[in-house]
Short mmCIF file of all heavy atoms in Angstrom, two decimals:
data_model
loop_
_atom_site.label_atom_id
_atom_site.label_comp_id
_atom_site.label_asym_id
_atom_site.label_seq_id
_atom_site.Cartn_x
_atom_site.Cartn_y
_atom_site.Cartn_z
N VAL A 660 128.64 113.14 387.88
CA VAL A 660 128.09 113.34 386.60
C VAL A 660 126.74 114.22 386.78
O VAL A 660 125.95 113.89 387.69
CB VAL A 660 127.72 112.06 385.95
CG1 VAL A 660 126.92 112.27 384.53
CG2 VAL A 660 128.93 111.19 385.65
N HIS A 661 126.70 115.28 385.92
CA HIS A 661 125.46 116.09 386.03
C HIS A 661 124.56 115.59 384.87
O HIS A 661 124.55 116.12 383.72
CB HIS A 661 125.92 117.46 385.75
CG HIS A 661 124.83 118.64 385.84
ND1 HIS A 661 124.02 118.65 386.93
CD2 HIS A 661 124.42 119.47 384.94
CE1 HIS A 661 123.18 119.61 386.78
NE2 HIS A 661 123.34 120.14 385.52
N TYR A 662 123.60 114.73 385.31
CA TYR A 662 122.71 114.11 384.33
C TYR A 662 121.68 115.13 383.63
O TYR A 662 121.40 114.92 382.53
CB TYR A 662 122.00 113.01 384.97
CG TYR A 662 122.88 111.69 384.96
CD1 TYR A 662 123.50 111.23 386.04
CD2 TYR A 662 123.15 111.03 383.67
CE1 TYR A 662 124.36 110.13 385.99
CE2 TYR A 662 124.00 109.98 383.55
CZ TYR A 662 124.54 109.46 384.69
OH TYR A 662 125.38 108.38 384.69
N PRO A 663 121.37 116.22 384.36
CA PRO A 663 120.31 117.14 383.68
C PRO A 663 120.91 117.67 382.41
O PRO A 663 120.22 117.83 381.43
CB PRO A 663 120.13 118.16 384.75
CG PRO A 663 120.19 117.47 386.11
CD PRO A 663 121.31 116.47 385.80
N ALA A 664 122.21 117.99 382.39
CA ALA A 664 122.90 118.53 381.09
C ALA A 664 122.89 117.41 380.05
O ALA A 664 122.63 117.77 378.87
CB ALA A 664 124.23 118.93 381.50
N LEU A 665 123.09 116.10 380.51
CA LEU A 665 123.18 115.14 379.47
C LEU A 665 121.70 114.83 378.90
O LEU A 665 121.58 114.59 377.67
CB LEU A 665 123.74 113.90 380.09
CG LEU A 665 125.27 113.92 380.36
CD1 LEU A 665 125.60 112.90 381.39
CD2 LEU A 665 125.94 113.67 379.10
N PHE A 666 120.63 114.84 379.82
CA PHE A 666 119.38 114.69 379.23
C PHE A 666 118.93 115.88 378.43
O PHE A 666 118.29 115.64 377.40
CB PHE A 666 118.39 114.76 380.61
CG PHE A 666 118.42 113.45 381.30
CD1 PHE A 666 117.78 113.38 382.56
CD2 PHE A 666 119.13 112.33 380.93
CE1 PHE A 666 117.82 112.24 383.32
CE2 PHE A 666 119.13 111.15 381.65
CZ PHE A 666 118.45 111.09 382.86
N GLU A 667 119.29 117.02 378.68
CA GLU A 667 119.07 118.21 377.81
C GLU A 667 119.62 117.99 376.49
O GLU A 667 119.01 118.17 375.38
CB GLU A 667 119.52 119.43 378.35
CG GLU A 667 119.25 120.72 377.52
CD GLU A 667 119.74 122.01 378.14
OE1 GLU A 667 120.41 121.92 379.31
OE2 GLU A 667 119.43 123.10 377.59
N ARG A 668 120.90 117.52 376.38
CA ARG A 668 121.57 117.25 375.06
C ARG A 668 120.95 116.14 374.35
O ARG A 668 120.83 116.18 373.19
CB ARG A 668 123.05 117.00 375.33
CG ARG A 668 123.80 117.00 373.94
CD ARG A 668 123.89 118.36 373.36
NE ARG A 668 124.56 118.41 372.14
CZ ARG A 668 124.09 118.64 370.86
NH1 ARG A 668 122.80 118.96 370.83
NH2 ARG A 668 124.85 118.63 369.80
N MET A 669 120.49 115.08 374.94
CA MET A 669 119.80 114.02 374.39
C MET A 669 118.55 114.49 373.66
O MET A 669 118.25 114.17 372.59
CB MET A 669 119.31 112.94 375.38
CG MET A 669 120.45 112.07 375.99
SD MET A 669 119.71 111.02 377.23
CE MET A 669 121.26 110.69 378.26
N GLY A 670 117.83 115.41 374.38
CA GLY A 670 116.70 116.02 373.80
C GLY A 670 117.03 116.88 372.47
O GLY A 670 116.24 116.75 371.49
N THR A 671 117.98 117.60 372.58
CA THR A 671 118.28 118.49 371.39
C THR A 671 118.81 117.58 370.19
O THR A 671 118.63 117.97 369.03
CB THR A 671 119.33 119.52 371.72
OG1 THR A 671 120.57 118.96 372.18
CG2 THR A 671 118.80 120.53 372.75
N LEU A 672 119.43 116.51 370.55
CA LEU A 672 119.87 115.60 369.42
C LEU A 672 118.77 114.72 368.89
O LEU A 672 118.87 114.16 367.79
CB LEU A 672 120.92 114.60 370.03
CG LEU A 672 122.28 115.19 370.34
CD1 LEU A 672 123.11 114.23 371.14
CD2 LEU A 672 122.98 115.57 368.95
N GLY A 673 117.62 114.79 369.60
CA GLY A 673 116.39 114.09 369.15
C GLY A 673 116.34 112.61 369.58
O GLY A 673 115.65 111.84 368.92
N TYR A 674 116.91 112.27 370.67
CA TYR A 674 116.84 110.90 371.17
C TYR A 674 115.49 110.55 371.55
O TYR A 674 114.84 111.31 372.39
CB TYR A 674 117.74 110.75 372.45
CG TYR A 674 117.81 109.27 372.94
CD1 TYR A 674 118.38 108.33 372.13
CD2 TYR A 674 117.38 109.02 374.23
CE1 TYR A 674 118.37 106.99 372.63
CE2 TYR A 674 117.35 107.76 374.64
CZ TYR A 674 117.87 106.73 373.85
OH TYR A 674 117.93 105.44 374.37
N SER A 675 114.96 109.45 370.98
CA SER A 675 113.58 109.06 371.33
C SER A 675 113.49 107.72 372.01
O SER A 675 112.45 107.18 372.21
CB SER A 675 112.74 109.05 370.05
OG SER A 675 113.27 108.19 369.05
N GLY A 676 114.66 107.13 372.28
CA GLY A 676 114.66 105.91 372.93
C GLY A 676 114.46 106.04 374.48
O GLY A 676 114.05 106.92 375.05
N TRP A 677 114.83 104.88 375.11
CA TRP A 677 114.72 104.80 376.55
C TRP A 677 115.98 105.04 377.32
O TRP A 677 117.03 104.87 376.71
CB TRP A 677 114.18 103.41 376.95
CG TRP A 677 112.78 103.14 376.53
CD1 TRP A 677 112.34 102.49 375.28
CD2 TRP A 677 111.62 103.30 377.34
NE1 TRP A 677 110.95 102.43 375.39
CE2 TRP A 677 110.57 102.90 376.49
CE3 TRP A 677 111.41 103.85 378.63
CZ2 TRP A 677 109.23 103.00 376.98
CZ3 TRP A 677 110.05 103.95 379.05
CH2 TRP A 677 109.01 103.48 378.16
N VAL A 678 115.88 105.57 378.51
CA VAL A 678 117.02 105.65 379.41
C VAL A 678 116.83 104.72 380.55
O VAL A 678 115.92 104.95 381.49
CB VAL A 678 117.07 107.15 379.96
CG1 VAL A 678 118.26 107.21 380.96
CG2 VAL A 678 117.43 108.11 378.74
N GLY A 679 117.67 103.67 380.57
CA GLY A 679 117.61 102.75 381.77
C GLY A 679 118.34 103.14 382.93
O GLY A 679 119.36 103.60 382.97
N CYS A 680 117.48 103.03 384.15
CA CYS A 680 118.10 103.42 385.39
C CYS A 680 118.63 102.18 386.07
O CYS A 680 118.01 101.47 386.73
CB CYS A 680 116.95 104.05 386.22
SG CYS A 680 116.22 105.48 385.40
N GLU A 681 119.92 102.09 385.75
CA GLU A 681 120.61 100.73 386.22
C GLU A 681 121.62 101.15 387.32
O GLU A 681 122.78 101.14 387.15
CB GLU A 681 121.39 100.14 385.04
CG GLU A 681 121.84 98.78 385.36
CD GLU A 681 122.66 98.11 384.26
OE1 GLU A 681 123.55 98.87 383.65
OE2 GLU A 681 122.55 96.88 384.07
N TYR A 682 121.01 101.47 388.57
CA TYR A 682 121.75 101.96 389.67
C TYR A 682 121.20 101.17 390.92
O TYR A 682 120.28 100.60 391.01
CB TYR A 682 121.73 103.32 389.84
CG TYR A 682 120.41 104.01 390.16
CD1 TYR A 682 119.94 104.04 391.52
CD2 TYR A 682 119.57 104.48 389.23
CE1 TYR A 682 118.67 104.54 391.87
CE2 TYR A 682 118.37 105.08 389.49
CZ TYR A 682 117.93 105.12 390.89
OH TYR A 682 116.63 105.61 391.11
N ARG A 683 122.21 101.29 392.01
CA ARG A 683 121.84 100.63 393.22
C ARG A 683 121.34 101.69 394.11
O ARG A 683 122.29 102.52 394.63
CB ARG A 683 123.11 99.77 393.78
CG ARG A 683 123.44 98.52 393.03
CD ARG A 683 124.58 97.84 393.72
NE ARG A 683 125.82 98.54 393.53
CZ ARG A 683 126.70 98.27 392.58
NH1 ARG A 683 126.47 97.34 391.65
NH2 ARG A 683 127.89 99.02 392.56
N PRO A 684 120.14 101.69 394.56
CA PRO A 684 119.53 102.67 395.53
C PRO A 684 120.44 102.70 396.83
O PRO A 684 120.88 101.51 397.35
CB PRO A 684 118.18 102.33 395.77
CG PRO A 684 117.73 101.47 394.49
CD PRO A 684 119.02 100.69 394.13
N GLN A 685 120.64 103.88 397.37
CA GLN A 685 121.26 103.93 398.67
C GLN A 685 120.51 103.35 399.87
O GLN A 685 120.98 102.88 400.79
CB GLN A 685 121.72 105.41 398.96
CG GLN A 685 122.61 105.90 398.06
CD GLN A 685 123.02 107.36 398.40
OE1 GLN A 685 123.96 107.70 399.09
NE2 GLN A 685 122.19 108.37 397.81
N ALA A 686 119.09 103.39 399.67
CA ALA A 686 118.24 102.85 400.60
C ALA A 686 117.02 102.32 399.96
O ALA A 686 117.19 101.66 398.89
CB ALA A 686 117.88 104.06 401.66
N GLU A 687 115.88 102.53 400.45
CA GLU A 687 114.70 102.10 399.73
C GLU A 687 114.49 102.79 398.41
O GLU A 687 114.67 104.01 398.34
CB GLU A 687 113.48 102.26 400.72
CG GLU A 687 112.18 101.60 400.21
CD GLU A 687 111.32 102.60 399.43
OE1 GLU A 687 111.50 103.76 399.48
OE2 GLU A 687 110.44 102.06 398.63
N THR A 688 114.12 102.06 397.44
CA THR A 688 114.17 102.70 396.01
C THR A 688 113.32 103.95 395.92
O THR A 688 113.74 104.98 395.47
CB THR A 688 113.67 101.68 395.07
OG1 THR A 688 114.32 100.48 395.19
CG2 THR A 688 113.69 102.25 393.70
N ARG A 689 112.06 103.91 396.38
CA ARG A 689 111.21 105.01 396.27
C ARG A 689 111.80 106.31 397.02
O ARG A 689 111.55 107.42 396.50
CB ARG A 689 109.83 104.63 396.82
CG ARG A 689 108.69 105.59 396.41
CD ARG A 689 108.25 105.26 394.86
NE ARG A 689 107.12 105.96 394.56
CZ ARG A 689 105.81 105.58 394.56
NH1 ARG A 689 105.53 104.39 395.05
NH2 ARG A 689 104.83 106.46 394.22
N ALA A 690 112.44 106.09 398.01
CA ALA A 690 112.92 107.33 398.81
C ALA A 690 114.01 108.02 398.00
O ALA A 690 114.22 109.18 398.27
CB ALA A 690 113.50 106.82 400.15
N GLY A 691 114.63 107.46 397.10
CA GLY A 691 115.72 107.99 396.34
C GLY A 691 115.35 108.45 394.95
O GLY A 691 116.17 108.81 394.05
N LEU A 692 114.00 108.55 394.71
CA LEU A 692 113.64 108.89 393.29
C LEU A 692 113.41 110.39 393.04
O LEU A 692 112.85 110.81 391.99
CB LEU A 692 112.31 108.21 392.98
CG LEU A 692 112.45 106.60 392.72
CD1 LEU A 692 111.10 106.06 392.36
CD2 LEU A 692 113.48 106.24 391.66
N GLY A 693 113.70 111.23 394.06
CA GLY A 693 113.45 112.63 393.97
C GLY A 693 114.21 113.24 392.78
O GLY A 693 113.76 114.13 392.08
N TRP A 694 115.38 112.68 392.31
CA TRP A 694 116.14 113.18 391.22
C TRP A 694 115.29 113.10 389.93
O TRP A 694 115.62 113.89 388.99
CB TRP A 694 117.40 112.34 391.00
CG TRP A 694 117.10 110.98 390.62
CD1 TRP A 694 116.96 109.83 391.41
CD2 TRP A 694 116.94 110.42 389.23
NE1 TRP A 694 116.68 108.66 390.68
CE2 TRP A 694 116.65 109.03 389.37
CE3 TRP A 694 116.96 111.04 387.99
CZ2 TRP A 694 116.43 108.17 388.26
CZ3 TRP A 694 116.81 110.24 386.85
CH2 TRP A 694 116.54 108.87 387.00
N GLY A 695 114.35 112.16 389.83
CA GLY A 695 113.61 111.91 388.60
C GLY A 695 112.34 112.62 388.48
O GLY A 695 111.55 112.49 387.52
N LYS A 696 111.92 113.54 389.46
CA LYS A 696 110.65 114.19 389.41
C LYS A 696 110.48 115.03 388.08
O LYS A 696 109.36 114.97 387.57
CB LYS A 696 110.52 115.07 390.61
CG LYS A 696 110.17 114.28 391.89
CD LYS A 696 109.95 115.26 393.10
CE LYS A 696 109.65 114.39 394.33
NZ LYS A 696 109.35 115.26 395.54
N PRO A 697 111.44 115.65 387.62
CA PRO A 697 111.28 116.46 386.37
C PRO A 697 110.93 115.51 385.14
O PRO A 697 110.41 116.05 384.05
CB PRO A 697 112.56 117.17 386.13
CG PRO A 697 113.24 117.27 387.47
CD PRO A 697 112.86 116.03 388.11
#
């Protein structure tokens, strides 16, 4: 799944709610947060 495209579409639709990150980190949580820097 290419989440940046989905996030972009949420924005153009005007989504103002939350996006819950409900995933299992592959290792230590902080080490895997690079995807969320933008």
Side-chain angles (χ1 to χ4, degrees):
V660 177
H661 183 57
Y662 278 105
L665 289 158
F666 287 170
E667 181 179 1
R668 188 68 180 117
M669 288 175 205
T671 60
L672 288 168
Y674 183 66
S675 59
W677 291 90
V678 174
C680 300
E681 191 183 38
Y682 65 84
R683 290 186 287 266
Q685 295 182 92
E687 191 269 339
T688 302
R689 197 74 179 264
L692 292 180
W694 68 269
K696 286 183 179 180

